[in-house]
Amino acid sequence: MNMNEKNKVENCRIEPKLKLINMDSVEVEQIEWLLYPFIPYGKVTIIQGDPGEGKTTMVLQIIAKLTRGEPIFPVTDTTMKIKEKRSDEVDSGNDGLDGEDNMQEQSSMSPVHVIYQTAEDGLGDTIKPRLLAAGADCSKVMVIDDSDQPLTMADVRLEEAIVQTKAKMVVLDPIRGFLGANVDMHRANEIRPLMKRIAVLAEKYHCAVILIGHMNKNSNGKSSYRGLGSIDFQAAARSVLIVGRVKEEPEVRVVCHTKSSLAPEGMSIAFRLDKNNGFEWIGEYDISADELLNGDGRGQKSQKAKEFLLEILANGGMAQKKIAEEAEGRGIKGKTLWNAKRELEIDSVKRGKQWYWMLPE
């Protein structure tokens, strides 16, 4: 066989054989959720934010709840109730509160194993103390020992660990620490195979894969373009969350949903992080990811809503429906309006079939 014939044979061998999938034969699969609508099972979720904003602390809090088989959000906390059962708000048909219906759709679950890999923090001096503070069952948190050889997203040990532990969540913190020494995180052709590999693992073993990443310093850019590296990271993820600090309230951090391919985007959720009280979920927070990253906090929105209510109710009570319509016309969201109402202690009185709001005497 001469050289030309040999090359032809080799070229024939690497040509893939055509395989067609008839969509009529594909079975519809129901998405299952670790935390609806933020973290799906069997898919990749990215959580990103600037350094020191509480990403790792929040994830360790989630891990702690999973290892105990407890709901991630505090069901008994009045700030996290699905819906306030106040008669005026229920009868008014206010859609602004309906977004909370999905916050606590967590059924009771058994404790699960989690794989947590960090390339930045020490296990003994940082990670375990945080897990203990969060109440985790540390016997269910596993770490792949990569002291002999650094772990990468393409490493076979990752799959072996999932099989051995039956982990329901895998966390790589941060993403760039597990790419490999020869991978350029800004090159799409190098990132796509890695993201494909990790997505296949997530789907194959029906576990939630969490990739934690830092933001770049493009303060004027949209949130979707502020993740470090290639945009293919976010393109491959089914859910992307951004964690940031509120400018007017430095102890308050907010989780914003910037991509959701499998469900409607969730409402922004806030948590408080301070030295005295530690970690505490607060509840819904009316702010977008771009506003959060640009330093536009809730203070201006709340003040605008308060001024609107004081103005519109200055001459007496008004029907709640009319107030909501006027507020919408001025760009004030329903949730912000209701928060302003509570802060101003505005009274609600039912007249016939309508609710009226009026300033306190």
Side-chain angles (χ1 to χ4, degrees):
M1 181 182 296
N2 60 37
M3 185 61 69
N4 289 336
E5 291 175 336
K6 185 176 181 181
N7 289 337
K8 288 182 180 179
V9 171
E10 289 179 350
N11 288 336
C12 289
R13 286 175 180 171
I14 62 175
E15 287 293 331
K17 183 179 179 180
L18 175 65
K19 295 181 180 180
L20 293 174
I21 298 174
N22 190 319
M23 286 302 297
D24 188 54
S25 65
V26 176
E27 295 185 5
V28 176
E29 299 178 1
Q30 186 72 28
I31 299 296
E32 296 184 4
W33 297 88
L34 185 152
L35 180 62
Y36 180 91
F38 304 107
I39 305 176
Y41 279 119
K43 307 294 179 182
V44 176
T45 297
I46 290 179
I47 300 176
Q48 55 190 5
D50 291 327
E53 299 291 58
K55 302 181 299 297
T56 296
T57 299
M58 182 191 74
V59 170
L60 292 176
Q61 288 284 329
I62 293 174
I63 289 174
K65 297 300 183 182
L66 292 176
T67 63
R68 293 289 184 183
E70 299 174 354
I72 293 172
F73 293 140
V75 178
T76 58
D77 191 334
T78 56
T79 64
M80 298 293 290
K81 285 182 179 178
I82 293 176
K83 185 175 288 188
E84 241 181 67
K85 295 298 184 180
R86 291 186 56 172
S87 57
D88 60 330
E89 296 179 7
V90 174
D91 291 351
S92 69
N94 175 44
D95 294 333
L97 295 175
D98 292 340
E100 297 183 21
D101 289 342
N102 289 328
M103 283 179 53
Q104 271 313 332
E105 291 184 5
Q106 298 181 77
S107 57
S108 59
M109 58 180 291
S110 301
V112 300
H113 285 87
V114 175
I115 295 173
Y116 177 79
Q117 295 296 134
T118 177
E120 292 184 339
D121 297 312
L123 298 181
D125 59 18
T126 304
I127 301 304
K128 185 163 184 179
R130 290 186 183 181
L131 285 170
L132 292 174
D137 179 353
C138 290
S139 68
K140 290 182 169 56
V141 182
M142 310 304 293
V143 179
I144 300 171
D145 186 348
D146 63 352
S147 55
D148 294 331
Q149 180 178 337
L151 186 77
T152 70
M153 292 168 66
D155 201 311
V156 67
R157 291 174 293 175
L158 197 55
E159 182 171 8
E160 291 173 349
I162 296 173
V163 172
Q164 184 173 325
T165 64
K166 296 181 173 58
K168 299 302 292 181
M169 187 167 85
V170 176
V171 180
L172 301 182
D173 181 8
I175 302 173
R176 63 181 179 181
F178 299 94
L179 298 179
N182 298 320
V183 175
D184 186 340
M185 67 188 302
H186 297 91
R187 291 184 176 272
N189 63 318
E190 296 183 22
I191 295 304
R192 285 173 189 166
L194 289 177
M195 292 301 292
K196 175 67 174 178
R197 157 78 174 166
I198 210 76
V200 168
L201 284 182
E203 184 171 0
K204 183 177 180 180
Y205 297 104
H206 198 61
C207 65
V209 173
I210 309 292
L211 305 179
I212 299 179
H214 298 314
M215 309 291 285
N216 62 44
K217 296 181 180 180
N218 181 15
S219 60
N220 295 321
K222 292 186 66 175
S223 59
S224 57
Y225 290 93
R226 282 207 57 201
L228 281 179
S230 170
I231 192 67
D232 286 77
F233 281 115
Q234 296 190 51
R238 299 297 84 196
S239 180
V240 178
L241 305 171
I242 286 180
V243 179
R245 190 188 306 248
V246 177
K247 184 177 180 180
E248 296 90 349
E249 304 172 82
E251 294 179 350
V252 175
R253 323 295 168 89
V254 181
V255 186
C256 295
H257 210 181
T258 61
K259 177 181 177 180
S260 182
S261 300
L262 305 173
E265 287 185 4
M267 295 290 294
S268 297
I269 306 296
F271 62 89
R272 182 174 286 106
L273 190 60
D274 62 59
K275 295 181 179 179
N276 296 326
N277 300 312
F279 184 98
E280 176 190 11
W281 289 108
I282 299 174
E284 283 188 6
Y285 203 100
D286 183 18
I287 192 171
S288 70
D290 290 330
E291 291 169 338
L292 181 67
L293 295 176
N294 293 330
D296 299 328
R298 187 175 62 174
Q300 298 94 326
K301 295 183 178 181
S302 176
Q303 185 61 32
K304 179 181 178 181
K306 289 179 184 178
E307 291 174 355
F308 162 74
L309 287 174
L310 291 172
E311 173 192 334
I312 204 168
L313 297 175
N315 296 322
M318 181 178 291
Q320 182 271 325
K321 185 176 181 180
K322 177 66 174 176
I323 294 173
E325 291 174 353
E326 291 285 340
E328 184 178 0
R330 298 196 191 186
I332 300 173
K333 294 183 179 180
K335 186 68 178 177
T336 305
L337 182 67
W338 286 97
N339 287 337
K341 172 185 180 291
R342 294 189 188 98
E343 291 180 23
L344 292 174
E345 298 182 344
I346 290 175
D347 297 323
S348 299
V349 177
K350 194 168 186 179
R351 297 173 181 170
K353 294 184 178 180
Q354 289 196 73
W355 283 95
Y356 284 75
W357 290 3
M358 58 189 66
L359 294 174
E361 296 181 358

